[in-house]
Amino acid sequence: MAESVVRRRAALRVLGRLAGRLGGALFVLWAVASITFFAVRLIPGDPAQAVLGGPGSQASPEALAAVTAEYGFDQPVIVQYFAQLGRLATGDLGRSYALNMDVGPLVLSQLGGTLVLAVLSLALAWLLALALATWSTRGGLVAARVATSLEIVAAALPHFWLATSLIVVLSIWLGLLPPISTGGVAGLVLPVLTLAIPLAGFLGQIMRESLLTALESPFVLSARARGESERGALWIHALRHASLPAISLSGWAFGSLISGAVVVETIFARPGLGRTLLGAVTLRDVPVVIGVVMIVAVAYILMTLLTDAASRLVDPRLRLS
């Protein structure tokens, strides 16, 4: 009897946690959709002109009136807002004003390139951060100072400056890599480096401090007392615990990489959500802007859930709690 009560309570806790996560995800999507809708509406210009090709289209007053009535631009903004939320609730992202095509297929066709760029950049940032953290903690005072300086400088580098510098050095001076994305592996190197280096500096600082703390923790001292080598104490015991803060921040880092893709994809002429979003904002293409932002929000939520699961996998204490 007591065992069944315990199981029922555990199941209720799990369901409560899942309901909380689902509610939080829905709130994030609502907030993103609302902020994006009103932010785009604040851009100067007539949305009816955007549908007809922009201010340079020289559309007639009759055409503007017809488009205004068709798209409901003559309705109050609050009515347009709730109509937009209603369409999003049914999974309808609308139709692009500028391209005259459904937003869903348009956004999904650009999603793959941005996800590849973000995932590869995150993986490279982790490798660089791990290398800097382990070198700074085990390489002596000089290595610690050099690694710390590299982390600080890397974390402060703007994406546009770093991208330009990499193009000048690796493409123009040395001729090693193409300056724009060519669709192959070589065209990915410079965009990935541009996104990964600043993130590696940030993750490296966090991982180094956590690693120093973990190396002085009782469980590592106990492992050393049992005859564990310094390398084993580092790689088997300390590093797993030191990686927890960086794992928790990987969800935020993924979102940062997606936002950085706007700059990187534009500079390297790489197709993706970043260039699509920039073009849609320029043309006041509200459905495309909202569609891109919503897809990015969903990807961010999924990445946050994955990082939470990874944290529980690495740290048994989280699973027990």
Side-chain angles (χ1 to χ4, degrees), residues 51-126:
V51 177
L52 295 173
S57 63
Q58 298 180 349
S60 65
E62 293 78 10
L64 288 173
V67 169
T68 299
E70 179 182 356
Y71 286 87
F73 296 144
D74 53 346
Q75 299 291 327
V77 174
I78 193 65
V79 174
Q80 299 180 46
Y81 165 69
F82 282 110
Q84 181 70 49
L85 287 185
R87 288 192 294 269
L88 291 177
T90 62
D92 181 11
L93 296 179
R95 195 167 181 83
S96 169
Y97 296 163
L99 301 177
N100 194 27
M101 63 179 298
D102 290 336
V103 173
L106 171 65
V107 173
L108 292 177
S109 67
Q110 303 297 319
L111 177 62
T114 300
L115 286 182
V116 168
L117 183 61
V119 170
L120 290 179
S121 300
L122 183 61
L124 180 59
W126 257 89

Side-chain angles (χ1 to χ4, degrees), residues 237-298:
H237 300 281
L239 193 60
R240 183 179 65 175
H241 292 269
S243 64
L244 284 174
I247 291 176
S248 300
L249 285 172
S250 292
W252 165 86
F254 185 79
S256 176
L257 292 173
I258 295 292
S259 63
V262 176
V263 176
V264 171
E265 289 174 355
T266 302
I267 292 176
F268 292 102
R270 178 176 174 80
L273 292 180
R275 291 183 68 190
T276 302
L277 178 61
L278 181 62
V281 171
T282 304
L283 298 173
R284 283 181 57 96
D285 199 341
V286 179
V288 174
V289 173
I290 294 179
V292 170
V293 174
M294 293 297 291
I295 293 295
V296 170
V298 171

Side-chain angles (χ1 to χ4, degrees), residues 20-39:
R21 292 295 178 84
L22 179 60
L26 292 176
F27 174 79
V28 169
L29 294 176
W30 167 79
V32 167
S34 301
I35 294 173
T36 305
F37 177 85
F38 288 109

